[in-house]
Amino acid sequence: MARSLFLWGCLRKPYIQVRTSYLRMQYLFFSWLAVFVGSWIVYVEYSSYTELCRGQECKTSLCDKYSKGVIDGTACVSLCQKETLYLGKCLSPKPNSQVYSGTWGDLEGVIRFQMETSPRYALGLAAEVRREPGAAFNQPTRGTSVERFKEMVISHLKMKLGDQANLSALSDMLLSVADSNKDGHITLAEARSVWALLQHNHFLMAAVLQEREHAPRLLGFCGDLYVMEKVPHSPLYGLSLPWLLEPLVPAGLRRRMDQWFTPSWPRRAKISMGLLELVEDLFHGTFGSFFMCDVSAASFGYNDRHELRVTDARHIVPELAFKEGMQERRCDSDRDCRHGVDCRTSCDLPKGRCSPTVTRPNLAKACDMLKDYILRGAPDDLREELEKQLYACIALRGAAELLEIEHSLILNNLKTLLWKTISHTNDSK
């Protein structure tokens, strides 16, 4: 018996040593793997950040231009001399579109400027031209009169928006913005700054939407940097999850989670009416018709009075520019005829070109986004009719001008339905 125990002890000792060594190797391997993966993640995140967030580089370049008298604007002194315009958190979606939250004295705002410029609306028709930040402030040329500059602005607006009746009013508003010190005169530096701003779709659309207060207020500019009023509640709805968790959450659960932290139903009804009014104004607006090519919660927000605001106007495209761009685009199937997330046309296979006619109007896309947002918590006596109108709206197909009566009828029905429900409450104010 003793001998058997002795032999068992002799055999067990090497086994324990081997197992301990194996566990130690496992621990070292996984520790090394964790360090490697962690270092790689930090490297990728840092590389992405340095590529996406080049605010200080832009600021240095713009302030150099300002000191040389090349550019001017209401924000230049605060940005370059007093340093009361502060670039905060980087929000840039891609390297060529620099976006920062920031403060300007006591005001909170969103600061935007471009690292690149594109000669066309981003419809994939022309390669983007790389430029250094703050460069290309060479138009108008020295000696250009104010009248000639106004003609340049109107001509540019006609090219972007079409020959609309009220372009002179938009041009006057832009010239008023250009006169940054309000002395009644536009200097060459001021003119060059506003001209550079007009080359960017987001700024142009923000200016167009100012008239009906669908966009945040323009607070100021310096060169092609401009500051918009911060929208306090943005995006329209939804939770921001850590990027590691995003792929793990099922789509159905994510849709429900997005609706958890939203205002009361009457306030959601008021916000929804704001979106419907935006669709109405973009259909036959003061400055033409426009297509909404990314109708998602991330593109909208609302203020403390629960009034809808467009927070990202990059994907609101003038109808004229869209149709011209699509007619020039080559295609092999309908998949090739898409701009942004939501603007699609069909492919004319015999010609190998995209059709200029959109397959869904703005209203159908807006209703699709609002469906879960407005139906959840709707009053029982309203829910059935509201659901009926929303699904009729989502079913709309073809360009809005081809089904104008049906489009207008559904739009008016939805607005009336929501207004009747909230008009007697404090939430309507």
Side-chain angles (χ1 to χ4, degrees):
M1 182 70 177
R3 187 176 178 183
S4 298
L5 289 172
F6 175 75
L7 287 172
W8 169 245
C10 290
L11 291 170
R12 191 166 180 269
K13 189 173 181 180
Y15 170 75
I16 292 171
Q17 288 175 338
V18 169
R19 182 169 175 77
T20 304
S21 177
Y22 173 71
L23 290 173
R24 186 181 293 117
M25 289 296 294
Q26 265 192 328
Y27 173 77
L28 289 173
F29 172 75
F30 284 111
S31 298
W32 175 84
L33 185 63
V35 169
F36 175 78
V37 171
S39 301
W40 177 253
I41 290 172
V42 169
Y43 170 75
V44 169
E45 288 293 308
Y46 178 75
S47 300
S48 300
Y49 181 85
T50 53
E51 178 64 19
L52 283 174
C53 305
R54 300 171 63 188
Q56 290 305 314
E57 181 184 345
C58 290
K59 177 183 174 181
T60 301
S61 179
L62 287 171
C63 289
D64 180 60
K65 299 287 184 187
Y66 172 64
S67 67
K68 294 175 180 176
V70 176
I71 62 172
D72 204 349
T74 50
C76 288
V77 172
S78 298
L79 179 71
C80 303
Q81 295 178 356
K82 296 181 179 178
E83 297 193 353
T84 53
L85 177 55
Y86 172 72
L87 274 62
K89 183 180 178 182
C90 175
L91 307 171
S92 304
K94 52 186 180 179
N96 71 314
S97 180
Q98 294 289 294
V99 185
Y100 283 79
S101 63
T103 54
W104 188 0
D106 296 329
L107 298 173
E108 288 188 278
V110 175
I111 303 163
R112 295 178 180 270
F113 38 95
Q114 297 291 121
M115 295 296 291
E116 297 176 4
T117 187
S118 172
R120 303 289 298 270
Y121 281 85
L123 296 173
L125 304 173
E128 289 187 340
V129 179
R130 183 78 182 181
R131 69 173 175 87
E132 291 305 310
F137 295 103
N138 54 5
Q139 292 290 332
T141 56
R142 190 174 297 277
T144 303
S145 67
V146 173
E147 286 304 313
R148 172 60 188 141
F149 179 57
K150 184 174 182 178
E151 290 173 7
M152 286 174 61
V153 170
I154 290 178
S155 177
H156 179 77
L157 294 175
K158 282 182 181 179
M159 182 181 69
K160 296 293 185 183
L161 307 178
D163 192 5
Q164 309 297 329
N166 297 303
L167 289 185
S168 59
L170 181 58
S171 172
D172 290 341
M173 187 270 281
L174 291 167
L175 291 176
S176 175
V177 169
D179 183 12
S180 57
N181 58 2
K182 305 304 176 190
D183 63 353
H185 302 284
I186 299 175
T187 66
L188 182 61
E190 290 170 337
R192 285 178 169 176
S193 296
V194 167
W195 184 255
L197 285 170
L198 283 175
Q199 309 312 306
H200 306 310
N201 184 40
H202 191 283
F203 177 82
L204 178 58
M205 286 312 307
V208 167
L209 295 172
Q210 291 284 306
E211 186 209 15
R212 295 297 301 271
E213 298 184 347
H214 293 304
R217 285 187 303 121
L218 174 66
L219 299 178
F221 69 97
C222 179
D224 60 356
L225 173 151
Y226 61 102
V227 188
M228 303 293 292
E229 179 183 41
K230 182 182 178 182
V231 177
H233 306 284
S234 177
L236 185 60
Y237 58 81
L239 289 173
S240 179
L241 296 176
W243 63 274
L244 282 171
L245 295 179
E246 284 281 0
L248 304 178
V249 181
L253 176 59
R254 182 58 200 263
R255 282 197 299 272
R256 287 196 296 273
M257 290 170 62
D258 283 343
Q259 303 297 336
W260 287 347
F261 302 99
T262 54
S264 63
W265 189 86
R267 288 173 174 170
R268 276 183 277 137
K270 183 178 179 181
I271 294 165
S272 300
M273 283 189 62
L275 181 59
L276 296 173
E277 287 169 357
L278 170 65
V279 169
E280 189 172 28
D281 287 340
L282 292 179
F283 180 33
H284 284 312
T286 308
F287 306 116
S289 297
F290 301 85
F291 293 138
M292 300 165 69
C293 295
D294 186 2
V295 187
S296 64
S299 299
F300 304 97
Y302 58 93
N303 61 21
D304 292 331
R305 297 188 300 278
H306 299 92
E307 296 166 337
L308 183 96
R309 294 289 182 266
V310 177
T311 55
D312 188 350
R314 288 176 302 144
H315 299 293
I316 298 179
V317 182
E319 181 182 24
L320 177 69
F322 179 85
K323 288 185 173 181
E324 287 180 351
M326 281 299 170
Q327 284 176 319
E328 293 179 22
R329 183 179 288 186
R330 296 186 179 276
C331 63
D332 296 315
S333 70
D334 289 350
R335 289 194 302 270
D336 299 323
C337 302
R338 186 174 76 175
H339 174 59
V341 178
D342 294 310
C343 287
R344 296 179 174 89
T345 71
S346 58
C347 179
D348 187 339
L349 291 175
K351 295 180 180 178
R353 300 277 183 177
C354 292
S355 161
T357 305
V358 291
T359 55
R360 290 186 84 196
N362 292 335
L363 182 59
K365 294 177 280 190
C367 289
D368 209 0
M369 186 188 77
L370 286 176
K371 175 169 59 69
D372 293 335
Y373 184 71
I374 198 64
L375 283 178
R376 186 181 65 85
D380 293 338
D381 59 339
L382 173 75
R383 184 181 176 87
E384 185 178 347
E385 180 62 21
L386 180 59
E387 190 170 14
K388 175 185 171 184
Q389 292 294 337
L390 280 170
Y391 278 103
C393 174
I394 292 168
L396 289 171
R397 289 291 183 273
E401 60 267 21
L402 300 180
L403 32 91
E404 188 163 349
I405 296 175
E406 188 179 3
H407 182 281
S408 299
L409 183 64
I410 291 174
L411 180 60
N412 288 331
N413 285 345
L414 280 168
K415 286 173 62 180
T416 302
L417 202 59
L418 294 173
W419 179 247
K420 280 172 62 178
T421 311
I422 67 169
S423 58
H424 62 282
T425 68
N426 291 330
D427 296 301
S428 64
K429 300 175 182 178

